[in-house]
Amino acid sequence: MEICRLLTRERKQAERQELFELLNEATKEAVSSDEAFNQYIRLQGRLNYTVSNSLLVFMQKPDAAELREFDDWKERGANIRK
């Protein structure tokens, strides 16, 4: 039982480290130029998410206007590519 907890703890620590590295890259990208920073600030204003979540969205889709779960988009009739 103790080994399972240790492995779970190590896995979660590795996942956190990966997330921190991703956020670090997103931050660098967001402040890489005045244009990128302005785009990030506009995104933050549109979505009103936490800084971390906004940075992750910024890396994937800086012009995002709205975020929803997959099933929510399907219910609205949106055509989604996986």
Side-chain angles (χ1 to χ4, degrees), residues 39-73:
Q39 191 174 24
Y40 165 74
I41 293 297
R42 286 191 301 273
L43 175 80
Q44 175 76 9
R46 280 193 309 273
L47 299 180
N48 196 26
Y49 278 22
T50 64
V51 170
S52 297
N53 285 338
S54 294
L55 283 167
L56 294 173
V57 172
F58 178 75
M59 281 192 72
Q60 297 175 57
K61 182 110 174 97
D63 59 342
E66 188 175 359
L67 298 177
R68 295 188 178 278
E69 299 274 335
F70 181 81
D71 290 336
D72 293 336
W73 284 115

Side-chain angles (χ1 to χ4, degrees), residues 21 29-30 46 64 74 78 82:
E21 289 171 8
E29 187 176 325
R46 280 193 309 273
K74 274 180 60 177
K82 286 190 177 182

Side-chain angles (χ1 to χ4, degrees), residues 7-63:
L7 292 175
T8 300
R9 190 176 336 171
E10 288 175 1
R11 182 180 49 81
K12 287 184 179 194
Q13 186 175 0
E15 289 172 356
R16 273 193 300 273
Q17 183 61 36
E18 185 178 334
L19 178 60
F20 289 144
E21 289 171 8
L22 188 59
L23 286 169
N24 191 37
E25 288 302 312
T27 302
K28 288 178 185 178
E29 187 176 325
V31 298
S32 65
S33 69
D34 287 344
E35 182 181 335
F37 185 68
N38 286 330
Q39 191 174 24
Y40 165 74
I41 293 297
R42 286 191 301 273
L43 175 80
Q44 175 76 9
R46 280 193 309 273
L47 299 180
N48 196 26
Y49 278 22
T50 64
V51 170
S52 297
N53 285 338
S54 294
L55 283 167
L56 294 173
V57 172
F58 178 75
M59 281 192 72
Q60 297 175 57
K61 182 110 174 97
D63 59 342

